[in-house]
Amino acid sequence: MSAANISGAEVKRELTERRVKGDARLAVLSGFVRTCMSFYKRGQTVYLWLDCQSDIVRDYIASLMMEQFKITPSSNVIDDGDKLVFADAARLLRELNITEEGGSLFEPTPIAKKFYDDARHYARGVFLGSGSLSVPSALKADQHKASGYHLEFSLSTELFANEFIGMLSAFNIYAHLTIRAGKYIVYVKHNSDVSDCLALMGAEKTVLRLNEAVVAYEVKNSVNRQINCDMANLSRTVEASVAVVKAIDKLERVGALDRLGKKIIDAANARKQNRNAPLGVLAKELGISKSALKHRFDVIIEEANKIE
C-alpha cells in the first residue's frame, strides 16, 4: 500500500480487527465514549448517543458494548446508520468511569488512573472516536517535509485534552494542543512521533507502511539532490567552457595565442575540440592535473582580458 493510502480510516479499520477482553475492552470503550458522546432524551429516559462516523467503527463498538454490558443499541430512536444509541446513559457513564455516582452527565471526571496504566487501549478508543491521520505521498516528496505527517484527536474539553497529552507524554510522544471550530485538537506532527503513537495504539501494519513511505521519501529526496548537484556541476562546466572558448577566439583573432607557448596552445586546442568535456577529462587526455589545466585556462582568460 502506498503512502497515499495511509489514512485515519485505514488505521481505524486495522484497530477494529483487534479483539479485546476484560479491562482492555473497558479502556477502549471509555476512551471512545468520552470523545464522541452526546445525549438524547425521550420521556424520562436519557439515551447515550455515540457518533461513530463509519459502519466499521459502529459495528465494532456495538459488539464491545454487548460483550462488556450485555446490551444492544436502542432501535427507532435516531435513524442514522453511523450512530449508536443506548438507554440508561447515567449507568453506562458510571461503569465506564466517565462520571461518578450522582454526578452530572455533562461534567465528566478526570481520566481514571487505571486507564493511564492501560494507555495503549485507552488511546485506541480515543482514536476510534475522534482520530485522523494524514501522510505525505512519497510520489510528492519534493513538496513535503517531515512536518507533513499529521495525526490528531479532536476532543471536547480542554481538561480532557491536557490529560490525554499527559498520557501520551509518558511514552515520549510529544503532542501539541490547538483549538479549531470549538474543539480542542491534540496533534503530533513529526513522523517519529506519529509512528510511536500508532504503535502505542496497536496499529503495527500502518507503522510498517508509514516507515516504507518515509524510506521512499528519503530515497526520492536523495535522488533529487544528486540530480540537482549534477545539473549544477554541468552548468558550471558549460559556463567555464564558454568563457575559455571566447577567450581563445579573441586571442586567435589578434594572433596572440601563438605567443603563449606550446602548453597553453595544447590546452586551448583540447578545449576547442571538446567544448563540453569536464575539466578532469581534458586534463587526463593532456596527461596533466586538473589544477594545472585550470591554471592554463586562467592564463588564457587573463591574456584575453588584456586585449582592448
Side-chain angles (χ1 to χ4, degrees), residues 125-189:
V126 175
F127 187 85
L128 287 173
S130 66
S132 63
L133 171 69
S134 62
V135 177
S137 169
L139 297 178
K140 298 180 180 179
D142 55 317
Q143 301 175 13
H144 297 278
K145 296 181 180 179
S147 60
Y149 300 84
H150 185 92
L151 185 151
E152 71 175 41
F153 306 82
S154 178
L155 308 180
S156 57
T157 69
E158 185 176 10
L159 174 62
F160 183 31
N162 285 322
E163 288 180 310
F164 192 59
I165 288 173
M167 178 180 284
L168 296 179
S169 69
F171 297 88
N172 295 320
I173 299 170
Y174 300 105
H176 309 275
L177 177 62
T178 189
I179 300 175
R180 186 195 311 138
K183 289 285 190 176
Y184 294 87
I185 309 300
V186 173
Y187 66 93
V188 291
K189 294 291 289 184

Side-chain angles (χ1 to χ4, degrees), residues 118-290:
D118 198 4
R120 176 183 180 88
H121 294 100
Y122 193 85
R124 185 183 304 172
V126 175
F127 187 85
L128 287 173
S130 66
S132 63
L133 171 69
S134 62
V135 177
S137 169
L139 297 178
K140 298 180 180 179
D142 55 317
Q143 301 175 13
H144 297 278
K145 296 181 180 179
S147 60
Y149 300 84
H150 185 92
L151 185 151
E152 71 175 41
F153 306 82
S154 178
L155 308 180
S156 57
T157 69
E158 185 176 10
L159 174 62
F160 183 31
N162 285 322
E163 288 180 310
F164 192 59
I165 288 173
M167 178 180 284
L168 296 179
S169 69
F171 297 88
N172 295 320
I173 299 170
Y174 300 105
H176 309 275
L177 177 62
T178 189
I179 300 175
R180 186 195 311 138
K183 289 285 190 176
Y184 294 87
I185 309 300
V186 173
Y187 66 93
V188 291
K189 294 291 289 184
H190 196 276
N191 60 46
S192 62
D193 283 325
V194 170
S195 293
D196 289 346
C197 195
L198 291 170
L200 173 67
M201 296 185 297
E204 287 90 355
K205 293 178 183 178
T206 303
V207 172
L208 290 176
R209 295 198 296 267
L210 179 59
N211 289 341
E212 290 172 359
V214 171
V215 170
Y217 166 83
E218 292 175 347
V219 168
K220 186 176 179 92
N221 263 3
S222 178
V223 171
N224 285 343
R225 284 194 296 270
Q226 185 60 52
I227 290 174
N228 290 339
C229 181
D230 291 344
M231 291 299 293
N233 288 338
L234 178 60
S235 177
R236 286 192 292 270
T237 297
V238 171
E239 289 174 0
S241 175
V242 169
V244 172
V245 170
K246 285 183 176 180
I248 294 170
D249 289 343
K250 190 174 184 180
L251 292 171
E252 287 180 333
R253 283 198 302 270
V254 298
L257 183 62
D258 293 339
R259 299 196 299 268
L260 299 181
K262 184 178 183 306
K263 292 181 178 180
I264 301 297
I265 294 172
D266 288 345
N269 290 335
R271 172 49 78 198
K272 290 192 69 174
Q273 292 168 8
N274 198 339
R275 301 191 178 198
N276 295 324
L279 194 66
V281 172
L282 288 182
K284 187 174 182 180
E285 290 179 357
L286 293 170
I288 59 176
S289 66
K290 287 174 60 177

